[in-house]
Amino acid sequence: MDFFTADLHLAHPKLAGLRGFDTVVAHDAAVMAPLYRLDPKQDTLWVLGDICAGGVASMESALAQLSTLHVPMHLVTGNHDPVHPMYRGAQKHFAAYAAVFASVQQVARTKVGGEGVMLSHFPYVDVPDRLSRRDFDQYQLPNLGMWLIHGHTHSDEPRSGKRSICVSLEAWDRQPASAEEIAAEMQR
């Protein structure tokens, strides 16, 4: 089964505090715990961006933690990932990410509940987003009618628009969302 999550922000002191943790270690353990429950023989994890705080040390810590998972993983890069093409020199980090993830890309496409969906870190360009700044506009997809699964907003609501679903940890009670759960949300 496919699972989807976003905005792990491992090794991110500010976000650990905002999420109510006293330490980064406690935050990271809480974020990683549900991921260890995924079945490496049956499950695949899609991480829709922001594995870390954005710096190289945070990136290295996040990749080291994620490398302990045995489930196949794919990354759709986010604005806090040094490998995202918005950063000069992003290609320098590709090998480190490729050692942990089966694929690393800016956007992707898959099927959920038999329906094609787009995967991006950012919400559709027409979805109101309190976190997006003008410098992210060029990385947001236009809404051409296909479902979008995304992160970035840290919304506590899974539904972020008519045909878009947010899988930030805040929207799914700090758990990855299963393809079945997303398909059910798409049917609502």
Side-chain angles (χ1 to χ4, degrees), residues 9 12-25 27-28:
H9 290 286
H12 194 309
K14 180 179 178 183
L15 202 53
L18 289 172
R19 287 178 172 164
F21 291 91
D22 293 332
T23 67
V24 170
V25 171
H27 169 267
D28 291 2

Side-chain angles (χ1 to χ4, degrees), residues 152-174:
H152 186 66
T153 65
H154 293 264
S155 173
D156 58 0
E157 294 292 325
R159 185 61 67 94
S160 58
K162 186 174 181 183
R163 294 186 62 82
S164 58
I165 295 172
C166 179
V167 292
S168 293
L169 288 179
E170 290 80 0
W172 295 89
D173 200 24
R174 297 190 180 154

Side-chain angles (χ1 to χ4, degrees), residues 103-132:
S103 70
V104 178
Q105 59 234 307
Q106 187 177 344
V107 295
R109 236 181 110 168
T110 192
K111 284 191 172 191
V112 171
E115 190 164 351
V117 297
M118 296 297 299
L119 305 175
S120 174
H121 175 65
F122 300 103
Y124 275 138
V125 74
D126 64 348
V127 171
D129 174 14
R130 63 183 172 78
L131 295 180
S132 278

Side-chain angles (χ1 to χ4, degrees), residues 86-105:
M86 72 173 54
Y87 297 109
R88 284 187 306 274
Q91 72 281 358
K92 294 185 296 188
H93 304 293
F94 185 80
Y97 279 82
V100 175
F101 292 95
S103 70
V104 178
Q105 59 234 307

Side-chain angles (χ1 to χ4, degrees), residues 40-142:
K41 294 179 183 174
Q42 297 179 27
D43 299 332
T44 298
L45 179 64
W46 285 90
V47 180
L48 305 186
D50 287 1
I51 66 165
C52 62
V56 173
S58 175
M59 174 196 81
E60 290 170 348
S61 175
L63 289 171
Q65 291 178 69
L66 289 167
S67 73
T68 65
L69 297 174
H70 299 292
V71 66
M73 295 182 292
H74 300 276
L75 177 68
V76 174
T77 59
N79 58 294
H80 283 268
D81 297 314
V83 74
H84 192 284
M86 72 173 54
Y87 297 109
R88 284 187 306 274
Q91 72 281 358
K92 294 185 296 188
H93 304 293
F94 185 80
Y97 279 82
V100 175
F101 292 95
S103 70
V104 178
Q105 59 234 307
Q106 187 177 344
V107 295
R109 236 181 110 168
T110 192
K111 284 191 172 191
V112 171
E115 190 164 351
V117 297
M118 296 297 299
L119 305 175
S120 174
H121 175 65
F122 300 103
Y124 275 138
V125 74
D126 64 348
V127 171
D129 174 14
R130 63 183 172 78
L131 295 180
S132 278
R133 303 183 320 236
R134 298 293 313 171
D135 52 344
F136 298 147
D137 286 356
Q138 64 187 332
Y139 302 105
Q140 290 180 268
L141 297 171

